[in-house]
Amino acid sequence: MADWVTGKVVNVNNWTDSLFSLKINAPVHAFTAGQFAKLALDVGGERVQRAYSYVNSPTSPDLEFYLVTVPEGKLSPKLHALKEGDNVLITAEAAGFFVLEEVPSADTLWMLSTGTALGPFLSILQLGEDLDRFNNIVLVHAVRYQRDLSYLPQMQELEKRYGGKLRLQTVVSRESAEGSLRGRIPALIESGELENSVGLKISPDSSHVMLCGNPEMTKDTQQLLKQQRAMSKHLRRKPGHITSEQYW
């Protein structure tokens, strides 16, 4: 049984009609950057819960989550309706293995994300620990429309903070946007556009790829990297080049 605690909403940021961030203050246990918690509300006598990754650094006093409203969803519309001062249930203990301590060292660490799955990477980069094992870090955020790049200013601040070690690339699939590549991550890897844009190559000799996003992206990208780049999934018992987490 999960140990639930009550959190209080301290900020709601509505990025678009469907994308929003919640900041919550709650007495949770210490977590590792890249992990997730479960949020819940009691709806009609039933506790409805879903897992969401932490966006904030573990050192931050406020717990931040990046969410998308699913119109027919049982929980997300109700979370979207929360206001400052409202209560929300959260698991005291975080979970998940999408963390740096599970990732082997490499010359270049690729962080490839879609939509709200950007969250774990922001948590890892804000904390900034255990990243000296990588000479280069590439953060890719893929969305449908330019307006969905909610955290672009924060990403750009992180880029400055890392002084050239961190390279950013945004991807927009349904319109042309200045500074962004257009298309899907797997296709942009296959064509070489993504690598040309950041000036680095994805290879088993130099790279580790972290994938976080919708199941189609993670599946297609893994298949491409396995077939065309001779890369393999990373397991504790069998080290490889790809670490992935599906976001639903």
Side-chain angles (χ1 to χ4, degrees), residues 55-111:
V55 175
N56 59 289
S57 165
T59 60
S60 172
D62 291 330
L63 313 175
E64 185 170 1
F65 301 92
Y66 185 32
L67 303 90
V68 60
T69 302
V70 180
E72 67 277 13
K74 295 179 69 174
L75 182 61
S76 60
K78 292 177 172 56
L79 290 174
H80 200 175
L82 292 174
K83 305 297 182 186
E84 185 178 328
D86 287 345
N87 290 335
V88 60
L89 295 169
I90 181 171
T91 48
E93 195 74 43
F97 298 97
F98 196 71
V99 296
L100 278 186
E101 64 187 55
E102 298 289 336
V103 174
S105 300
D107 183 67
T108 302
L109 177 64
W110 294 78
M111 297 176 161

Side-chain angles (χ1 to χ4, degrees), residues 31 43 56 75 80 82 96 99 110 136 144 162 196 202 215:
F31 68 93
V43 181
N56 59 289
L75 182 61
H80 200 175
L82 292 174
V99 296
W110 294 78
N136 304 291
R144 294 179 178 181
Y162 282 91
N196 290 338
I202 301 176

